[in-house]
Amino acid sequence: MARVNGEKLKRLRAWVQNYEWGRSGAEAEVARLLALNTGAEIEPNKPYAEFWMGTHESGPNVLVEEEGEEEEEEEEKEQQDVGLKEWIEKNPKVLGHKVLEKWGSDLPFLFKVLSVGKALSIQAHPDKELAKELHKMKPNLYKDANHKPEMALAITEFRALCGFITLQELKEVLEDVPEIVELVGTASAKQVMDIDERGGDTADKAKTALRSVFTQLMSASKEMTTKAISKLKSRLLLQSQLRSLTEKEELVLQLEKQYPGDIGVLSAFFFNYVKLKPGEALYLAANEPHAYLSGDCVECMATSDNVVRAGLTPKHRDIQTLCSMLTYNQGYPEILSGLALSPYITRYLPPFDEFEVDRCVLPKGSSVVFPAVPGPSIFLAFVGEGTMKTGCWEGIVTEGDVVFEPANTELVITAATSELQLYRAGINSRFFHGL
C-alpha cells in the first residue's frame, strides 16, 4: 500500500485461535486467511477456529509496515509491530469524538471469522453488570468486565442452536423424550405440561417452569446423564430402522458422537435449531443460550471474551451461573437478511450500539464509495483484489488483508480483474443518529 500524504489506512496482522472445535488445516477459511494475512504455513491436522481482528488482549492485532514504502521518518519506524490498541491510545482521534466519549480510547467491537468443525459449547454471555461481578470474582476465567452481545453472518451454510423453543414445543419434547423426564423428574415435567397456554399469565408460568426443568437437567449427575444418553442413543438407533428421525434427533446423535455422555447432548432438545444460508445473520443478546454447530461465518461482538459454558465442551463449566443468568425467553430468533445500501453493499444492523457489519461484493472493474462516518472501521478483504483510495492515500488490497480505517474517512474501493468480496465492521450507525 503506497503512502501519498496525511493520515493513512493501517494494515493489520490478525490473530488466530486454534480451539479444538475449529476446522482442520486447509478446510478452514480461518487457515486460508491466516496464511494470506501473515504468511504462516497451514498445518493439515491443526484446528483453525477463529480469526480475530481488533484490540482484545486475548488476540491483539499488530500494525504492519507496508511493503514497498519509501523511507519513513524515524518516529514512524518505531511504530513497526506496534499493537493496534497501543497505537489507538496514542492516536485517539482516529476513533472520532462520539466513540471516545462513549467507550474511551479503545475499539468497542471485536471482528472475527469462525470456522466451526464441531459444536461449540452451550453457552451464554453475561450482561455488563454480571460481567463486572464475574471478572472481579474469577478473573482467570472471565478475562474482562464487558458484556458480549454478538452477531454471526453466514459465509457457508451455518448451523446453530439458539434460544429456547416455545412452550408447545417443550411439551412435545417432554412427551417424546422420556430420558429427559427421567433426569428432571415427573413432577417438574408435569409443571410444564399443566400450563394452560390460553391463560393470561402463561408467559410467566412458562418461564418459571422452563427455568426449573432446564436447571434440573443441566445439574444432573454424571452417572445419571451417561445412563440417560446411552438409553436415548439405543432408542433412536432402533427407531431409525422403523421411521425417519427428526432433524433434531439426528443432530442429537451427531452431538453424542462429538461429546459422548455430555449433558449438552440432551439439552439440545430445549433449543431452536437454526440453519443460516450464506448472507443471513443471527444476533445474540446477553444472557441468551446458544451453541454454534458447523460452518463458516463472520462474527462481530462487543470487545469481550466472556463466555459462561455449561455443556458440549472440555473447558470449565459454570452451570450454576449459566442457569441463573438466562432470560428464559422462548421462541424462534430473528434472522437478519441485511439492508441493501447499494447494488454492492448489504448492511446488517443488530440492536447493539457497538457494531454493525457490511458485506460488499464488487464485480470486476466496478467501484463503490463508503461515505465518511464518525467512527472507525475494520475491513477484511475476503476474496479477490482491488484498490482502496481516500483523499490522501491509495493502495492495493488483496484477499486476507485486514485494514483499519480512521473515523471521518471517505473510502473508494475498486475491484481489479476479478470479483472482490469484503466485509466491514464499524460502530452501529444508529448510535450516531440517536435512534
mmCIF file of all heavy atoms in Angstrom, residues 10-30:
data_model
loop_
_atom_site.group_PDB
_atom_site.id
_atom_site.type_symbol
_atom_site.label_atom_id
_atom_site.label_comp_id
_atom_site.label_asym_id
_atom_site.label_seq_id
_atom_site.Cartn_x
_atom_site.Cartn_y
_atom_site.Cartn_z
ATOM 1 N N LYS A 10 -4.448 1.713 7.972
ATOM 2 C CA LYS A 10 -3.418 0.875 8.590
ATOM 3 C C LYS A 10 -3.695 -0.596 8.294
ATOM 4 O O LYS A 10 -4.775 -1.102 8.593
ATOM 5 C CB LYS A 10 -3.404 1.087 10.110
ATOM 6 C CG LYS A 10 -3.073 2.516 10.529
ATOM 7 C CD LYS A 10 -1.616 2.849 10.261
ATOM 8 C CE LYS A 10 -1.273 4.258 10.756
ATOM 9 N NZ LYS A 10 0.120 4.622 10.454
ATOM 10 N N ARG A 11 -2.698 -1.271 7.722
ATOM 11 C CA ARG A 11 -2.804 -2.707 7.507
ATOM 12 C C ARG A 11 -2.501 -3.409 8.834
ATOM 13 O O ARG A 11 -1.605 -3.005 9.586
ATOM 14 C CB ARG A 11 -1.809 -3.156 6.441
ATOM 15 C CG ARG A 11 -1.976 -4.626 6.035
ATOM 16 C CD ARG A 11 -0.735 -5.134 5.312
ATOM 17 N NE ARG A 11 -0.494 -4.443 4.077
ATOM 18 C CZ ARG A 11 -0.899 -4.875 2.877
ATOM 19 N NH1 ARG A 11 -1.606 -5.982 2.790
ATOM 20 N NH2 ARG A 11 -0.617 -4.204 1.795
ATOM 21 N N LEU A 12 -3.277 -4.483 9.129
ATOM 22 C CA LEU A 12 -3.126 -5.185 10.403
ATOM 23 C C LEU A 12 -2.700 -6.633 10.208
ATOM 24 O O LEU A 12 -3.108 -7.282 9.242
ATOM 25 C CB LEU A 12 -4.456 -5.178 11.174
ATOM 26 C CG LEU A 12 -5.086 -3.801 11.455
ATOM 27 C CD1 LEU A 12 -6.435 -3.989 12.146
ATOM 28 C CD2 LEU A 12 -4.160 -2.940 12.300
ATOM 29 N N ARG A 13 -1.892 -7.121 11.153
ATOM 30 C CA ARG A 13 -1.628 -8.552 11.239
ATOM 31 C C ARG A 13 -2.605 -9.124 12.262
ATOM 32 O O ARG A 13 -2.586 -8.746 13.437
ATOM 33 C CB ARG A 13 -0.182 -8.818 11.659
ATOM 34 C CG ARG A 13 0.156 -10.317 11.616
ATOM 35 C CD ARG A 13 1.657 -10.584 11.666
ATOM 36 N NE ARG A 13 2.231 -10.294 12.965
ATOM 37 C CZ ARG A 13 3.182 -9.382 13.178
ATOM 38 N NH1 ARG A 13 3.639 -8.649 12.169
ATOM 39 N NH2 ARG A 13 3.674 -9.182 14.372
ATOM 40 N N ALA A 14 -3.471 -10.009 11.795
ATOM 41 C CA ALA A 14 -4.541 -10.535 12.636
ATOM 42 C C ALA A 14 -4.010 -11.653 13.548
ATOM 43 O O ALA A 14 -2.837 -12.016 13.515
ATOM 44 C CB ALA A 14 -5.690 -11.038 11.766
ATOM 45 N N TRP A 15 -4.902 -12.190 14.349
ATOM 46 C CA TRP A 15 -4.568 -13.221 15.335
ATOM 47 C C TRP A 15 -5.489 -14.421 15.112
ATOM 48 O O TRP A 15 -6.665 -14.247 14.821
ATOM 49 C CB TRP A 15 -4.782 -12.651 16.731
ATOM 50 C CG TRP A 15 -4.363 -13.547 17.861
ATOM 51 C CD1 TRP A 15 -5.040 -14.622 18.353
ATOM 52 C CD2 TRP A 15 -3.176 -13.433 18.645
ATOM 53 N NE1 TRP A 15 -4.351 -15.193 19.396
ATOM 54 C CE2 TRP A 15 -3.194 -14.478 19.599
ATOM 55 C CE3 TRP A 15 -2.089 -12.548 18.640
ATOM 56 C CZ2 TRP A 15 -2.183 -14.661 20.543
ATOM 57 C CZ3 TRP A 15 -1.085 -12.726 19.578
ATOM 58 C CH2 TRP A 15 -1.131 -13.770 20.515
ATOM 59 N N VAL A 16 -4.957 -15.626 15.276
ATOM 60 C CA VAL A 16 -5.796 -16.823 15.117
ATOM 61 C C VAL A 16 -5.823 -17.623 16.410
ATOM 62 O O VAL A 16 -4.803 -17.780 17.089
ATOM 63 C CB VAL A 16 -5.292 -17.694 13.941
ATOM 64 C CG1 VAL A 16 -5.783 -19.129 14.050
ATOM 65 C CG2 VAL A 16 -5.767 -17.100 12.623
ATOM 66 N N GLN A 17 -7.032 -18.126 16.746
ATOM 67 C CA GLN A 17 -7.203 -19.021 17.888
ATOM 68 C C GLN A 17 -7.401 -20.446 17.360
ATOM 69 O O GLN A 17 -8.240 -20.669 16.482
ATOM 70 C CB GLN A 17 -8.434 -18.616 18.716
ATOM 71 C CG GLN A 17 -8.439 -17.162 19.173
ATOM 72 C CD GLN A 17 -7.473 -16.872 20.312
ATOM 73 O OE1 GLN A 17 -6.635 -17.698 20.657
ATOM 74 N NE2 GLN A 17 -7.584 -15.698 20.899
ATOM 75 N N ASN A 18 -6.652 -21.382 17.926
ATOM 76 C CA ASN A 18 -6.702 -22.777 17.456
ATOM 77 C C ASN A 18 -7.499 -23.660 18.422
ATOM 78 O O ASN A 18 -7.024 -24.701 18.871
ATOM 79 C CB ASN A 18 -5.285 -23.324 17.278
ATOM 80 C CG ASN A 18 -4.469 -22.512 16.279
ATOM 81 O OD1 ASN A 18 -3.657 -21.676 16.671
ATOM 82 N ND2 ASN A 18 -4.687 -22.740 15.009
ATOM 83 N N TYR A 19 -8.722 -23.228 18.739
ATOM 84 C CA TYR A 19 -9.560 -24.016 19.633
ATOM 85 C C TYR A 19 -9.862 -25.372 18.983
ATOM 86 O O TYR A 19 -9.958 -25.488 17.764
ATOM 87 C CB TYR A 19 -10.868 -23.283 19.928
ATOM 88 C CG TYR A 19 -10.691 -21.894 20.499
ATOM 89 C CD1 TYR A 19 -11.460 -20.830 20.025
ATOM 90 C CD2 TYR A 19 -9.763 -21.628 21.505
ATOM 91 C CE1 TYR A 19 -11.319 -19.547 20.544
ATOM 92 C CE2 TYR A 19 -9.620 -20.346 22.016
ATOM 93 C CZ TYR A 19 -10.392 -19.304 21.535
ATOM 94 O OH TYR A 19 -10.253 -18.040 22.041
ATOM 95 N N GLU A 20 -10.080 -26.391 19.825
ATOM 96 C CA GLU A 20 -10.187 -27.748 19.285
ATOM 97 C C GLU A 20 -11.434 -27.975 18.435
ATOM 98 O O GLU A 20 -11.494 -28.918 17.665
ATOM 99 C CB GLU A 20 -10.087 -28.789 20.418
ATOM 100 C CG GLU A 20 -11.079 -28.626 21.550
ATOM 101 C CD GLU A 20 -12.339 -29.406 21.311
ATOM 102 O OE1 GLU A 20 -12.287 -30.447 20.647
ATOM 103 O OE2 GLU A 20 -13.403 -28.955 21.781
ATOM 104 N N TRP A 21 -12.428 -27.112 18.525
ATOM 105 C CA TRP A 21 -13.630 -27.279 17.701
ATOM 106 C C TRP A 21 -13.464 -26.710 16.283
ATOM 107 O O TRP A 21 -14.353 -26.843 15.446
ATOM 108 C CB TRP A 21 -14.851 -26.636 18.368
ATOM 109 C CG TRP A 21 -14.661 -25.219 18.835
ATOM 110 C CD1 TRP A 21 -14.414 -24.797 20.111
ATOM 111 C CD2 TRP A 21 -14.681 -24.022 18.031
ATOM 112 N NE1 TRP A 21 -14.292 -23.426 20.144
ATOM 113 C CE2 TRP A 21 -14.456 -22.926 18.884
ATOM 114 C CE3 TRP A 21 -14.884 -23.783 16.669
ATOM 115 C CZ2 TRP A 21 -14.420 -21.606 18.438
ATOM 116 C CZ3 TRP A 21 -14.840 -22.466 16.206
ATOM 117 C CH2 TRP A 21 -14.612 -21.405 17.094
ATOM 118 N N GLY A 22 -12.327 -26.084 15.995
ATOM 119 C CA GLY A 22 -12.125 -25.481 14.678
ATOM 120 C C GLY A 22 -11.992 -26.527 13.576
ATOM 121 O O GLY A 22 -11.789 -27.720 13.836
ATOM 122 N N ARG A 23 -12.106 -26.081 12.342
ATOM 123 C CA ARG A 23 -11.922 -26.989 11.218
ATOM 124 C C ARG A 23 -10.431 -27.214 10.985
ATOM 125 O O ARG A 23 -9.600 -26.348 11.280
ATOM 126 C CB ARG A 23 -12.572 -26.419 9.952
ATOM 127 C CG ARG A 23 -14.081 -26.245 10.109
ATOM 128 C CD ARG A 23 -14.736 -25.700 8.857
ATOM 129 N NE ARG A 23 -14.854 -26.746 7.839
ATOM 130 C CZ ARG A 23 -15.369 -26.537 6.636
ATOM 131 N NH1 ARG A 23 -15.798 -25.334 6.280
ATOM 132 N NH2 ARG A 23 -15.470 -27.520 5.773
ATOM 133 N N SER A 24 -10.089 -28.379 10.434
ATOM 134 C CA SER A 24 -8.682 -28.762 10.302
ATOM 135 C C SER A 24 -8.055 -28.226 9.024
ATOM 136 O O SER A 24 -8.648 -28.296 7.946
ATOM 137 C CB SER A 24 -8.547 -30.285 10.314
ATOM 138 O OG SER A 24 -8.954 -30.792 11.554
ATOM 139 N N GLY A 25 -6.839 -27.712 9.181
ATOM 140 C CA GLY A 25 -5.995 -27.347 8.054
ATOM 141 C C GLY A 25 -6.677 -26.525 6.985
ATOM 142 O O GLY A 25 -7.406 -25.578 7.268
ATOM 143 N N ALA A 26 -6.433 -26.914 5.717
ATOM 144 C CA ALA A 26 -6.898 -26.131 4.573
ATOM 145 C C ALA A 26 -8.418 -26.116 4.418
ATOM 146 O O ALA A 26 -8.952 -25.335 3.626
ATOM 147 C CB ALA A 26 -6.251 -26.655 3.297
ATOM 148 N N GLU A 27 -9.149 -26.974 5.145
ATOM 149 C CA GLU A 27 -10.623 -26.932 5.095
ATOM 150 C C GLU A 27 -11.160 -25.628 5.681
ATOM 151 O O GLU A 27 -12.267 -25.217 5.373
ATOM 152 C CB GLU A 27 -11.213 -28.086 5.924
ATOM 153 C CG GLU A 27 -10.975 -29.464 5.384
ATOM 154 C CD GLU A 27 -11.556 -30.524 6.321
ATOM 155 O OE1 GLU A 27 -12.110 -30.156 7.382
ATOM 156 O OE2 GLU A 27 -11.458 -31.711 5.982
ATOM 157 N N ALA A 28 -10.376 -24.998 6.552
ATOM 158 C CA ALA A 28 -10.861 -23.843 7.316
ATOM 159 C C ALA A 28 -10.600 -22.527 6.589
ATOM 160 O O ALA A 28 -9.478 -22.262 6.151
ATOM 161 C CB ALA A 28 -10.192 -23.815 8.688
ATOM 162 N N GLU A 29 -11.640 -21.716 6.463
ATOM 163 C CA GLU A 29 -11.459 -20.350 5.940
ATOM 164 C C GLU A 29 -10.466 -19.590 6.822
ATOM 165 O O GLU A 29 -9.688 -18.770 6.342
ATOM 166 C CB GLU A 29 -12.796 -19.602 5.912
ATOM 167 C CG GLU A 29 -13.733 -20.017 4.801
ATOM 168 C CD GLU A 29 -13.259 -19.593 3.415
ATOM 169 O OE1 GLU A 29 -12.238 -18.896 3.297
ATOM 170 O OE2 GLU A 29 -13.920 -19.984 2.433
ATOM 171 N N VAL A 30 -10.511 -19.861 8.119
ATOM 172 C CA VAL A 30 -9.608 -19.188 9.053
ATOM 173 C C VAL A 30 -8.150 -19.479 8.704
ATOM 174 O O VAL A 30 -7.303 -18.583 8.728
ATOM 175 C CB VAL A 30 -9.926 -19.625 10.507
ATOM 176 C CG1 VAL A 30 -8.816 -19.206 11.470
ATOM 177 C CG2 VAL A 30 -11.264 -19.031 10.952
#
